[in-house]
Amino acid sequence: MQNYNFSVVAVDGAGEELGSRASISWSTTSKPELFDITDYSAKRSEEGFTSAGYRSEAIKGNLDI
């Protein structure tokens, strides 16, 4: 498992921070969950796979990102 911590803050043209930092922590799973994207209407193409907009939100909802 890998842990990540991110902080973001807006900076003006002079390099001064504007407002407060926003932070988030995230962890990956120790073993990724595998799933078949064709179960979510992805279609095989010559370059690989494409969702063709059919159910891309359903695919994204099953990713651990």
Side-chain angles (χ1 to χ4, degrees):
M1 180 164 54
Q2 182 67 42
N3 297 316
Y4 299 92
N5 297 301
F6 301 94
S7 293
V8 179
V9 66
V11 178
D12 66 15
E16 298 295 320
E17 293 185 4
L18 303 172
S20 301
R21 290 181 176 268
S23 298
I24 187 171
S25 297
W26 196 263
S27 299
T28 59
T29 58
S30 55
K31 183 178 179 185
E33 179 183 349
L34 298 178
F35 62 94
D36 185 347
I37 62 173
T38 60
D39 291 343
Y40 299 91
S41 302
K43 305 296 181 194
R44 188 175 294 276
S45 70
E46 289 186 28
E47 291 91 31
F49 286 93
T50 178
S51 67
Y54 295 116
R55 297 190 53 201
S56 59
E57 291 304 315
I59 293 170
K60 289 179 201 173
N62 283 283
L63 298 177
D64 183 22
I65 57 174

